[in-house]
């Protein structure tokens, strides 16, 4: 059943109230945690008996677990709001009500989408799942309607390039994707085989806890060139040190050493390298003038 504007607004408001409650709860739990930590420090300095100190530590672990659960609950509500807004956007597009977006605004949206991508927060011993950072999707995975993907599509010149596109539908019988170029100036639709579509990460990896979910230094990848909607061949020059940092180094034959100066690209737009039929850069054109 289609989600009406009124229903969507109501659902979002309900979740915003839940998030507000979670934030107040986290603030309260954080203050209680500070008191607990102060008690533990005093106990250590006073050399209190081990059983007493052990009890304080166990109590602090329990409090930290409760705080983590509250934060995760708030993050889940934020994710639900994103899904509701995305559903409304897809409905508007299908109804022919999609508003034209200027290129400058589109580039800001592309950047914001990467910055607000959910951060995977692993639990002790937990490994990052598929589509988190550099971890690819399972072979059987099908991107959802409205998801952004990298698509190997032909342009006006019949040359294939990896572009940033949005999934319109998946044609199960044909095992193909129907995608649309997100560039408002193009807005071309393409029906492509599954092997010509790469789902983009759905979560960011935290370098401080899940370094295994990042591309290692010197890995050849494809990355979205800043201020464009095309993916180009690149090599990782420096890994992000925090969840908000970017990577990579772009390849460019116009430079003497074969590479341009390092340019930052968000995790969302850095994916495993796949050569085109020509075997050269994934995107076309001179990067220095892109």
């Amino acid at each position: 059943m289609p989600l009406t504007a009124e229903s969507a607004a109501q659902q979002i408001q309900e979740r915003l109230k839940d998030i507000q409650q979670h934030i107040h709860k986290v603030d309260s739990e954080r203050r209680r945690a500070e008191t607990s930590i102060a008690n533990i420090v005093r106990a250590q300095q006073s050399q209190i008996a081990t059983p007493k100190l052990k009890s304080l530590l166990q109590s602090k672990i329990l409090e930290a677990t409760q705080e983590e659960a509250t934060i995760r609950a708030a993050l889940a509500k934020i994710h639900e709001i994103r899904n509701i807004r995305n559903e409304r956007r897809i409905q508007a597009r299908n109804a022919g009500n999609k508003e034209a977006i200027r290129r400058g605004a589109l580039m800001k949206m592309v950047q914001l989408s990467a910055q607000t991508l959910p951060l995977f927060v692993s639990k002790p011993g937990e490994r990052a799942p598929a589509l988190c950072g550099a971890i690819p999707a399972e072979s059987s995975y099908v991107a959802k309607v409205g998801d952004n993907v990298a698509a190997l599509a032909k342009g006006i010149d019949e040359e294939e390039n990896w572009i940033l596109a949005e999934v319109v539908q998946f044609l199960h019988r044909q095992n193909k994707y129907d995608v649309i170029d997100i560039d408002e100036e193009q807005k071309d639709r393409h029906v492509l085989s599954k092997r010509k579509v790469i789902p983009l990460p759905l979560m960011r990896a935290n370098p401080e806890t899940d370094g295994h979910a990042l591309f290692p230094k010197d890995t050849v990848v494809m990355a979205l060139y800043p201020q464009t909607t095309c993916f180009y061949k690149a090599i990782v020059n420096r890994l992000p040190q925090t969840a908000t940092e970017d990577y990579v180094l772009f390849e460019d034959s116009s430079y003497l050493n074969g590479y341009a100066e390092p340019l930052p690209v968000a995790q969302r737009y850095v994916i495993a390298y796949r050569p085109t039929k020509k075997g050269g850069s994934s995107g076309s054109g001179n990067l220095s003038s892109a």
Side-chain angles (χ1 to χ4, degrees):
M1 182 176 179
L3 186 65
T4 65
E6 292 77 14
S7 176
Q10 181 180 353
Q11 290 185 32
I12 289 175
Q13 285 302 315
E14 290 173 353
R15 285 159 177 76
L16 287 173
K17 289 179 181 178
D18 290 338
I19 292 173
Q20 185 179 36
Q21 292 176 355
H22 289 315
I23 291 174
H24 286 308
K25 187 176 180 181
V26 168
D27 186 53
S28 176
E29 291 171 342
R30 189 68 53 83
R31 288 197 297 270
R32 186 168 66 250
E34 291 174 353
T35 300
S36 297
I37 292 174
N39 290 336
I40 290 173
V41 171
R42 283 196 294 270
Q44 289 177 321
Q45 292 174 342
S46 303
Q47 297 183 339
I48 290 179
T50 300
K52 178 68 177 294
L53 181 57
K54 183 178 180 180
S55 176
L56 289 172
L57 289 171
Q58 290 176 333
S59 177
K60 180 65 193 81
I61 291 174
L62 179 60
E63 291 174 356
T65 301
Q66 293 173 338
E67 183 179 338
E68 178 191 1
T70 303
I71 293 174
R72 288 183 183 276
L75 292 174
K77 293 298 179 182
I78 293 174
H79 186 63
E80 289 176 12
I81 290 175
R82 288 171 64 99
N83 288 339
I84 292 170
R85 287 179 171 172
N86 191 47
E87 184 178 345
R88 282 292 303 158
R89 183 182 61 80
I90 293 171
Q91 288 179 359
R93 183 193 64 197
N94 293 340
N97 299 326
K98 192 175 189 309
E99 184 177 348
I101 302 174
R102 293 181 180 274
R103 187 166 187 79
L106 174 63
M107 292 299 100
K108 288 182 179 180
M109 287 176 59
V110 168
Q111 182 180 14
L112 183 62
S113 176
Q115 293 173 342
T116 60
L117 194 68
L119 176 68
F120 174 73
V121 183
S122 62
K123 297 178 181 179
E126 184 180 16
R127 300 279 291 182
L131 291 177
C132 174
I135 301 179
E138 300 288 344
S139 59
S140 60
Y141 178 80
V142 174
K144 298 179 178 60
V145 173
D147 280 359
N148 282 350
V149 297
L152 184 59
K154 288 184 179 180
I156 299 176
D157 56 3
E158 291 298 306
E159 183 177 345
E160 287 188 324
N161 293 295
W162 286 100
I163 63 170
L164 182 59
E166 180 181 323
V167 175
V168 176
Q169 63 177 324
F170 183 71
L171 308 171
H172 289 276
R173 290 187 177 181
Q174 302 176 41
N175 199 36
K176 292 183 177 181
Y177 280 101
D178 179 3
V179 303
I180 186 170
D181 191 331
I182 71 160
D183 192 334
E184 287 288 337
E185 296 178 0
Q186 304 296 328
K187 276 304 169 192
D188 296 326
R189 284 182 68 160
H190 307 272
V191 176
L192 305 169
S193 63
K194 195 176 178 184
R195 63 184 176 81
K196 290 188 175 183
V197 173
I198 304 176
L200 297 185
L202 297 178
M203 290 180 287
R204 287 175 292 138
N206 187 348
E208 299 173 87
T209 58
D210 299 292
H212 66 277
L214 295 171
F215 288 106
K217 180 179 171 58
D218 295 329
T219 300
V220 176
V221 296
M222 293 196 301
L224 195 71
Y225 194 80
Q227 300 304 309
T228 76
T229 56
C230 286
F231 289 83
Y232 292 87
K233 182 180 178 182
I235 187 170
V236 175
N237 178 48
R238 182 181 61 82
L239 276 70
Q241 301 301 305
T242 68
T244 58
E245 289 187 9
D246 305 321
Y247 35 2
V248 289
L249 177 71
F250 279 93
E251 180 182 68
D252 187 348
S253 58
S254 68
Y255 287 78
L256 293 178
N257 65 353
Y259 296 99
E261 289 299 312
L263 291 174
V265 179
Q267 288 188 39
R268 178 168 175 75
Y269 303 122
V270 179
I271 54 180
Y273 174 68
R274 285 194 198 173
T276 58
K277 289 182 179 179
K278 292 185 177 181
S281 296
S282 297
S284 62
N286 188 336
L287 299 189
S288 61
S289 61

